[in-house]
Amino acid sequence: MEFVGIKNQGVTDYINSVLQQLFMVIDFRESVLNVSFNKGKEELNENELILYELKNIFHILSEKQVDCTETVEFCKAFIDYGGNPINVLIQMDTLEFLNLLFYRLELALSGLVTNSFGGTLSSQVVCREANHLHEIKEPFFSISLEVSGITSIKQSLKQFCESEILESENQYYCDKCGKKVDALKRLIISKMPKHLIFHLNRYQFDLNTFERIKLNSFFEFPITINLKEFLLQNENQNQNEDQNYTLSGIIVHTGTLNSGHYHSITNTKTKWLSFNDRVVSEYNTADLENDFYGGLDQDKKKKKQSAYMLIYRHD
């Protein structure tokens, strides 16, 4: 087999879709496979054990000696914030799972996740009286983008980085000026990661029904994108350097919020593949818009399938 699928233990498709995406990120895969453990499995702490089991899965996926593998031991090792292992009969949100997995892996081996997926957001307030800069920088592994009322990834990114004027009753207290002043507030990316993960916020709270729903509205995303306009430029960066990224993976959700299925589409550079649990097949990108942008079908009915997470790699 050229590529290996992963068995679904019940509703563990969210795990399978994430692990297949991470495996296809070459530098991250190699980092995991190159990890060595200086003690036996029974001596590993809970975070190291997750990394140990992930390495085993990546090893099987790399060897390509079977049609599909399984995640039984990984699920037993994977501990949530409450200290409980994965319940294979209860589906979890892929973003929630990915965040917890990254948290555990980074605790097991510092830099493992950061080196491939780590970026930095800069929350800034600029005093308009004396141009004083107040800044807080925070690391991130993914960026959540709004979908409601927005039709494209660039439009959503512009909203994400949109500036806000703080004035009148909302003036900002500038400690350098010693008084309240008009100020410009903004959020911007100060460091781009090698692999940029976007979460599309399709799960919303409906104020009319007081229930969470899934949005399948139209939202387009290109195969290649330049993100230079969203990156904070400073003296340590080449001002002429483009931030070109290529779409390398899509995690797709089909169905409703309470009843759905996840699978992955990946770009191997030579061809595109669909990983749907144990089934691996080639994918034609000519169908990308029809399959994953959401919106309406030919009968003007809402589509049930759309992209939920996007992974872009820096060119």
Side-chain angles (χ1 to χ4, degrees):
M1 285 296 297
E2 188 177 3
F3 294 94
V4 178
I6 304 177
K7 294 177 184 176
N8 190 332
Q9 295 185 60
V11 287
T12 56
D13 46 279
Y14 70 94
I15 297 175
N16 299 349
S17 62
V18 168
L19 296 189
Q20 292 285 22
Q21 289 291 349
L22 296 181
F23 176 78
M24 299 302 286
V25 177
I26 298 174
D27 53 307
F28 179 74
R29 175 176 75 216
E30 291 179 347
S31 295
V32 171
L33 289 173
N34 287 331
V35 172
S36 59
F37 297 92
N38 300 320
K39 47 190 174 183
K41 179 179 176 179
E42 65 283 352
E43 299 177 274
L44 301 176
N45 64 40
E46 59 185 24
N47 300 310
E48 294 169 335
L49 188 57
I50 292 171
L51 177 54
Y52 177 90
E53 296 299 347
L54 180 64
K55 180 180 178 178
N56 285 341
I57 291 174
F58 278 12
H59 178 73
I60 295 171
L61 295 179
S62 298
E63 289 295 303
K64 304 174 184 178
Q65 298 296 313
V66 294
D67 291 338
C68 64
T69 186
E70 58 186 18
T71 57
V72 175
E73 294 303 315
F74 175 85
C75 289
K76 289 179 182 177
F78 194 89
I79 302 299
D80 64 19
Y81 294 114
N84 304 307
I86 284 176
N87 185 333
V88 299
L89 300 179
I90 297 177
Q91 192 171 72
M92 192 175 180
D93 177 20
T94 51
L95 179 65
E96 184 183 357
F97 169 70
L98 180 66
N99 286 342
L100 183 52
L101 176 61
F102 278 174
Y103 171 75
R104 293 294 191 193
L105 293 177
E106 195 69 9
L107 287 178
L109 182 60
S110 179
L112 177 64
V113 178
T114 301
N115 290 340
S116 294
F117 302 100
T120 307
L121 286 175
S122 178
S123 178
Q124 299 182 336
V125 178
V126 182
C127 161
R128 303 188 79 179
E129 182 143 334
N131 209 34
H132 291 140
L133 173 64
H134 304 262
E135 182 177 43
I136 298 175
K137 291 186 176 182
E138 295 182 356
F140 72 87
F141 293 137
S142 65
I143 292 177
S144 289
L145 296 178
E146 291 302 319
V147 172
S148 179
I150 299 174
T151 59
S152 72
I153 191 170
K154 277 224 167 180
Q155 184 183 353
S156 191
L157 273 167
K158 286 179 180 178
Q159 184 189 82
F160 181 81
C161 296
E162 189 174 19
S163 300
E164 176 187 358
I165 302 297
L166 304 178
E167 57 186 358
S168 300
E169 295 179 355
N170 293 322
Q171 277 190 319
Y172 176 77
Y173 182 82
C174 177
D175 54 9
K176 296 178 181 178
C177 294
K179 62 180 181 178
K180 285 190 174 183
V181 297
D182 290 349
L184 176 72
K185 182 181 179 181
R186 66 185 180 185
L187 183 66
I188 197 163
I189 304 170
S190 58
K191 178 181 177 294
M192 289 283 192
K194 295 179 185 177
H195 304 274
L196 182 51
I197 300 175
F198 290 117
H199 159 246
L200 306 185
N201 189 17
R202 289 192 174 275
Y203 300 157
Q204 304 274 317
F205 185 76
D206 190 326
L207 292 175
N208 294 318
T209 62
F210 294 100
E211 293 179 342
R212 293 187 73 216
I213 60 171
K214 181 194 172 188
L215 296 178
N216 275 316
S217 54
F218 180 85
F219 188 90
E220 67 175 318
F221 48 90
I223 290 181
T224 59
I225 188 171
N226 189 304
L227 299 173
K228 185 177 180 180
E229 65 183 288
F230 307 108
L231 177 66
L232 176 66
Q233 297 295 316
N234 59 50
E235 65 276 6
N236 296 319
Q237 293 169 324
N238 182 348
Q239 300 292 321
N240 298 316
E241 181 183 353
D242 283 332
Q243 294 294 325
N244 294 313
Y245 281 75
T246 299
L247 184 66
S248 61
I250 308 169
I251 292 182
V252 183
H253 183 266
T254 305
T256 65
L257 177 64
N258 298 316
S259 177
H261 178 73
Y262 292 100
H263 74 280
S264 274
I265 305 294
T266 65
N267 176 5
T268 69
K269 295 186 178 181
T270 58
K271 59 185 173 182
W272 288 71
L273 296 170
S274 169
F275 290 92
N276 195 344
D277 292 334
R278 60 194 304 156
V279 179
V280 183
S281 58
E282 289 196 28
Y283 179 76
N284 184 355
T285 54
D287 299 323
L288 199 69
E289 177 177 347
N290 183 61
D291 288 347
F292 308 133
Y293 282 14
L296 303 177
D297 61 20
Q298 293 180 341
D299 298 323
K300 305 300 180 183
K301 294 181 179 179
K302 292 181 180 180
K303 293 180 180 178
K304 294 183 178 180
Q305 177 173 273
S306 56
Y308 183 62
M309 296 183 75
L310 308 171
I311 302 176
Y312 282 86
R313 62 171 173 256
H314 190 265
D315 292 341

